[in-house]
Amino acid sequence: GAVVSQHPSRVICKSGTSVKIECRSLDFQATTMFWYRQFPKQSLMLMATSNEGSKATYEQGVEKDKFLINHASLTLSTLTVTSAHPEDSSFYICSGRDRRLNEQFFGPGTRLTVL
Amino acid sequence: GNSVTQMEGPVTLSEEAFLTINCTYTATGYPSLFWYVQYPGEGLQLLLKATKADDKGSNKGFEATYRKETTSFHLEKGSVQVSDSAVYFCALSINDYKLSFGAGTTVTVRA
Protein backbone atom coordinates (compact mmCIF):
# COMPACT_ATOMS: atom_id res chain seq x y z
CA GLY A 1 0.00 0.00 0.00
CA ALA A 2 0.87 3.65 -0.11
CA VAL A 3 3.14 5.17 2.52
CA VAL A 4 2.54 8.12 4.79
CA SER A 5 5.31 9.44 6.99
CA GLN A 6 5.17 11.71 10.00
CA HIS A 7 7.90 13.80 11.53
CA PRO A 8 8.88 13.91 14.27
CA SER A 9 7.90 10.55 15.71
CA ARG A 10 8.06 11.96 19.20
CA VAL A 11 8.58 15.41 20.65
CA ILE A 12 8.84 16.83 24.14
CA CYS A 13 8.34 20.54 24.62
CA LYS A 14 7.81 23.08 27.33
CA SER A 15 4.42 24.54 28.11
CA GLY A 16 3.73 27.63 26.04
CA THR A 17 5.80 26.68 23.04
CA SER A 18 4.51 25.71 19.60
CA VAL A 19 5.16 22.40 17.92
CA LYS A 20 4.86 21.56 14.22
CA ILE A 21 4.15 18.03 13.01
CA GLU A 22 4.62 17.12 9.36
CA CYS A 23 2.65 14.53 7.44
CA ARG A 24 3.86 13.45 4.02
CA SER A 25 2.42 11.10 1.44
CA LEU A 26 5.50 9.50 -0.08
CA ASP A 27 4.22 7.76 -3.16
CA PHE A 28 0.81 9.19 -3.88
CA GLN A 29 -0.96 12.50 -4.06
CA ALA A 30 -3.24 13.15 -1.12
CA THR A 31 -5.83 15.72 -2.05
CA THR A 32 -7.39 15.17 1.36
CA MET A 33 -5.57 14.61 4.61
CA PHE A 34 -7.02 13.94 8.03
CA TRP A 35 -5.62 14.64 11.49
CA TYR A 36 -6.56 12.46 14.43
CA ARG A 37 -5.79 12.48 18.11
CA GLN A 38 -5.51 9.30 20.15
CA PHE A 39 -5.54 9.20 23.93
CA PRO A 40 -4.10 6.20 25.78
CA LYS A 41 -6.30 3.14 25.46
CA GLN A 42 -8.86 5.14 23.52
CA SER A 43 -9.92 5.43 19.95
CA LEU A 44 -8.81 7.87 17.31
CA MET A 45 -10.77 11.09 17.32
CA LEU A 46 -10.91 13.05 14.10
CA MET A 47 -9.70 16.59 14.63
CA ALA A 48 -9.86 18.08 11.17
CA THR A 49 -10.01 17.44 7.47
CA SER A 50 -7.76 19.37 5.14
CA ASN A 51 -7.99 19.65 1.39
CA GLU A 52 -5.02 20.79 -0.61
CA GLY A 53 -5.08 24.52 -1.18
CA SER A 54 -8.05 25.28 1.04
CA LYS A 55 -8.78 25.85 4.70
CA ALA A 56 -9.14 22.89 6.99
CA THR A 57 -12.53 21.83 8.31
CA TYR A 58 -12.44 21.27 12.05
CA GLU A 59 -14.60 18.88 14.03
CA GLN A 60 -16.81 20.22 16.75
CA GLY A 61 -14.89 21.09 19.87
CA VAL A 62 -11.51 21.40 18.18
CA GLU A 63 -10.00 24.88 18.43
CA LYS A 64 -8.82 25.97 15.02
CA ASP A 65 -6.59 28.68 16.47
CA LYS A 66 -4.96 26.12 18.72
CA PHE A 67 -4.39 23.47 16.09
CA LEU A 68 -3.25 25.14 12.89
CA ILE A 69 -3.39 22.96 9.81
CA ASN A 70 -1.74 23.75 6.50
CA HIS A 71 -2.07 21.61 3.41
CA ALA A 72 0.05 23.51 0.93
CA SER A 73 0.83 20.69 -1.47
CA LEU A 74 -0.54 17.34 -2.55
CA THR A 75 2.06 15.52 -0.49
CA LEU A 76 2.43 17.61 2.66
CA SER A 77 0.18 18.68 5.50
CA THR A 78 1.33 20.20 8.75
CA LEU A 79 -0.30 20.45 12.16
CA THR A 80 0.98 23.14 14.49
CA VAL A 81 0.00 22.93 18.13
CA THR A 82 0.25 26.52 19.31
CA SER A 83 1.00 27.52 22.87
CA ALA A 84 1.01 23.89 23.92
CA HIS A 85 -0.11 22.88 27.38
CA PRO A 86 0.16 19.56 29.22
CA GLU A 87 -3.41 18.67 28.29
CA ASP A 88 -2.35 18.74 24.63
CA SER A 89 -0.06 15.79 25.29
CA SER A 90 -1.31 13.00 23.08
CA PHE A 91 -0.62 10.81 20.08
CA TYR A 92 -1.35 12.65 16.83
CA ILE A 93 -1.96 10.63 13.68
CA CYS A 94 -2.45 11.80 10.13
CA SER A 95 -3.84 10.03 7.12
CA GLY A 96 -3.93 10.78 3.44
CA ARG A 97 -6.63 9.78 1.06
CA ASP A 98 -5.47 8.27 -2.20
CA ARG A 99 -8.28 9.22 -4.53
CA ARG A 100 -7.17 6.72 -7.14
CA LEU A 101 -7.40 3.81 -4.71
CA ASN A 102 -10.25 5.39 -2.72
CA GLU A 103 -8.48 4.47 0.49
CA GLN A 104 -6.92 6.24 3.46
CA PHE A 105 -3.33 5.53 4.44
CA PHE A 106 -2.14 6.34 7.92
CA GLY A 107 1.09 7.72 9.26
CA PRO A 108 2.84 6.07 12.20
CA GLY A 109 1.88 8.87 14.58
CA THR A 110 3.66 11.52 16.62
CA ARG A 111 3.86 11.32 20.39
CA LEU A 112 3.67 14.84 21.86
CA THR A 113 4.55 15.39 25.49
CA VAL A 114 4.15 18.87 26.92
CA LEU A 115 5.93 19.48 30.20
CA GLY B 1 -24.70 10.58 14.79
CA ASN B 2 -22.30 7.87 13.72
CA SER B 3 -20.63 5.64 16.24
CA VAL B 4 -18.89 2.31 16.53
CA THR B 5 -18.86 0.03 19.55
CA GLN B 6 -16.40 -2.80 19.69
CA MET B 7 -15.54 -5.45 22.19
CA GLU B 8 -13.27 -4.25 24.92
CA GLY B 9 -9.99 -5.96 25.41
CA PRO B 10 -7.43 -6.91 26.04
CA VAL B 11 -7.82 -10.32 24.49
CA THR B 12 -5.16 -12.97 25.08
CA LEU B 13 -5.17 -16.15 23.05
CA SER B 14 -2.96 -19.12 22.37
CA GLU B 15 -1.65 -19.77 18.89
CA GLU B 16 -4.15 -21.52 16.61
CA ALA B 17 -7.10 -20.38 18.71
CA PHE B 18 -10.23 -18.87 17.19
CA LEU B 19 -10.55 -15.10 17.41
CA THR B 20 -13.74 -13.04 17.36
CA ILE B 21 -13.93 -9.32 17.97
CA ASN B 22 -17.44 -7.95 18.06
CA CYS B 23 -18.30 -4.66 16.41
CA THR B 24 -21.66 -2.92 16.14
CA TYR B 25 -22.46 0.46 14.69
CA THR B 26 -25.03 3.20 14.48
CA ALA B 27 -25.12 5.43 11.47
CA THR B 28 -27.26 8.08 9.83
CA GLY B 29 -27.07 6.75 6.34
CA TYR B 30 -25.59 3.76 4.66
CA PRO B 31 -22.01 3.31 5.85
CA SER B 32 -19.00 1.47 4.58
CA LEU B 33 -17.41 -0.64 7.28
CA PHE B 34 -13.74 -1.28 7.95
CA TRP B 35 -11.34 -3.13 10.16
CA TYR B 36 -7.94 -1.54 10.68
CA VAL B 37 -4.97 -3.12 12.42
CA GLN B 38 -2.16 -1.35 14.23
CA TYR B 39 0.96 -3.41 14.81
CA PRO B 40 3.36 -2.24 17.52
CA GLY B 41 5.22 0.87 16.45
CA GLU B 42 3.41 1.16 13.12
CA GLY B 43 0.57 3.15 11.65
CA LEU B 44 -2.94 1.85 11.12
CA GLN B 45 -3.35 -0.43 8.14
CA LEU B 46 -6.55 -1.36 6.42
CA LEU B 47 -7.23 -5.02 7.11
CA LEU B 48 -10.52 -5.43 5.28
CA LYS B 49 -13.66 -3.60 4.35
CA ALA B 50 -17.22 -4.04 3.14
CA THR B 51 -19.32 -1.45 1.41
CA LYS B 52 -22.80 -2.92 1.35
CA ALA B 53 -25.02 -5.31 3.26
CA ASP B 54 -24.05 -9.00 3.16
CA ASP B 55 -20.63 -8.20 1.72
CA LYS B 56 -17.82 -10.19 3.26
CA GLY B 57 -14.42 -8.61 3.59
CA SER B 58 -11.44 -10.92 3.95
CA ASN B 59 -7.68 -10.62 4.19
CA LYS B 60 -4.83 -12.57 5.82
CA GLY B 61 -7.27 -15.18 7.11
CA PHE B 62 -9.51 -12.59 8.74
CA GLU B 63 -13.15 -12.21 7.74
CA ALA B 64 -16.03 -9.90 8.57
CA THR B 65 -19.54 -9.79 7.14
CA TYR B 66 -21.60 -6.62 6.89
CA ARG B 67 -24.86 -7.44 8.68
CA LYS B 68 -27.36 -4.66 8.22
CA GLU B 69 -30.12 -6.39 10.20
CA THR B 70 -27.93 -6.56 13.31
CA THR B 71 -25.81 -3.49 12.46
CA SER B 72 -22.72 -5.56 13.03
CA PHE B 73 -19.35 -6.25 11.44
CA HIS B 74 -17.67 -8.84 13.65
CA LEU B 75 -14.08 -9.79 12.90
CA GLU B 76 -13.09 -13.46 12.92
CA LYS B 77 -10.04 -15.56 12.31
CA GLY B 78 -10.01 -19.30 12.61
CA SER B 79 -6.42 -19.85 13.71
CA VAL B 80 -4.39 -16.95 15.02
CA GLN B 81 -0.63 -16.64 15.00
CA VAL B 82 1.76 -14.72 17.22
CA SER B 83 2.19 -12.25 14.39
CA ASP B 84 -1.50 -11.33 14.69
CA SER B 85 -0.79 -9.60 18.00
CA ALA B 86 -1.90 -6.02 17.43
CA VAL B 87 -4.63 -3.51 18.14
CA TYR B 88 -7.71 -3.89 15.96
CA PHE B 89 -10.07 -1.01 15.20
CA CYS B 90 -13.53 -1.23 13.71
CA ALA B 91 -14.57 1.87 11.78
CA LEU B 92 -17.27 3.25 9.55
CA SER B 93 -17.50 5.93 6.94
CA ILE B 94 -20.39 7.60 5.20
CA ASN B 95 -19.86 9.39 1.90
CA ASP B 96 -17.46 12.04 3.16
CA TYR B 97 -14.59 9.63 3.79
CA LYS B 98 -14.38 10.64 7.46
CA LEU B 99 -13.77 7.60 9.59
CA SER B 100 -15.44 7.00 12.94
CA PHE B 101 -13.46 4.49 14.96
CA GLY B 102 -14.27 2.11 17.75
CA ALA B 103 -12.13 2.12 20.87
CA GLY B 104 -9.78 -0.55 19.63
CA THR B 105 -9.17 -4.07 20.91
CA THR B 106 -5.72 -5.21 21.90
CA VAL B 107 -5.05 -8.80 20.93
CA THR B 108 -2.09 -10.75 22.25
CA VAL B 109 -1.34 -14.20 20.88
CA ARG B 110 0.94 -16.42 22.93
CA ALA B 111 3.10 -19.12 21.41
Side-chain angles (χ1 to χ4, degrees):
Chain A
V3 179
V4 173
S5 70
Q6 280 184 244
H7 178 80
S9 57
R10 82 179 46 231
V11 57
I12 300 172
C13 68
K14 292 183 178 180
S15 187
T17 61
S18 294
V19 174
K20 180 185 284 189
I21 302 170
E22 291 187 349
C23 176
R24 292 182 185 273
S25 57
L26 299 185
D27 50 5
F28 69 100
Q29 293 183 333
T31 52
T32 304
M33 285 186 166
F34 301 89
W35 286 95
Y36 297 84
R37 186 171 176 177
Q38 185 180 26
F39 291 99
K41 301 187 187 301
Q42 294 189 31
S43 184
L44 284 75
M45 300 300 295
L46 178 65
M47 299 174 65
T49 303
S50 75
N51 292 296
E52 186 263 338
S54 63
K55 290 184 177 181
T57 303
Y58 291 81
E59 295 300 301
Q60 192 172 8
V62 178
E63 300 175 59
K64 62 180 181 180
D65 295 330
K66 174 88 174 157
F67 299 99
L68 300 179
I69 291 172
N70 184 280
H71 191 167
S73 78
L74 289 172
T75 59
L76 174 65
S77 177
T78 59
L79 168 68
T80 301
V81 183
T82 62
S83 187
H85 289 92
E87 58 266 29
D88 299 325
S89 298
S90 191
F91 196 56
Y92 292 88
I93 301 172
C94 73
S95 70
R97 178 173 169 257
D98 185 331
R99 190 168 56 184
R100 181 175 54 89
L101 298 178
N102 192 25
E103 186 175 329
Q104 279 190 48
F105 296 93
F106 286 80
T110 297
R111 173 75 59 195
L112 170 63
T113 302
V114 184
L115 302 177
Chain B
N2 304 322
S3 66
V4 176
T5 303
Q6 67 180 95
M7 188 174 83
E8 288 188 20
V11 174
T12 302
L13 302 165
S14 297
E15 248 185 336
E16 300 183 3
F18 184 86
L19 170 68
T20 299
I21 304 175
N22 290 339
C23 171
T24 57
Y25 67 89
T26 58
T28 54
Y30 200 36
S32 295
L33 301 173
F34 307 83
W35 276 99
Y36 283 85
V37 58
Q38 186 177 31
Y39 297 105
E42 299 183 19
L44 273 74
Q45 301 172 27
L46 178 64
L47 181 60
L48 54 84
K49 68 178 182 182
T51 58
K52 61 182 187 296
D54 299 325
D55 267 3
K56 178 186 282 188
S58 61
N59 186 24
K60 299 182 180 180
F62 290 89
E63 293 183 341
T65 301
Y66 189 144
R67 299 288 187 200
K68 187 179 178 185
E69 64 275 14
T70 55
T71 61
S72 65
F73 193 54
H74 304 321
L75 182 68
E76 297 182 337
K77 184 172 185 179
S79 178
V80 293
Q81 304 300 313
V82 173
S83 57
D84 293 324
S85 298
V87 182
Y88 293 83
F89 292 92
C90 186
L92 69 79
S93 174
I94 310 294
N95 293 332
D96 58 2
Y97 312 111
K98 294 180 184 179
L99 288 165
S100 296
F101 286 91
T105 302
T106 300
V107 174
T108 302
V109 181
R110 299 177 303 196

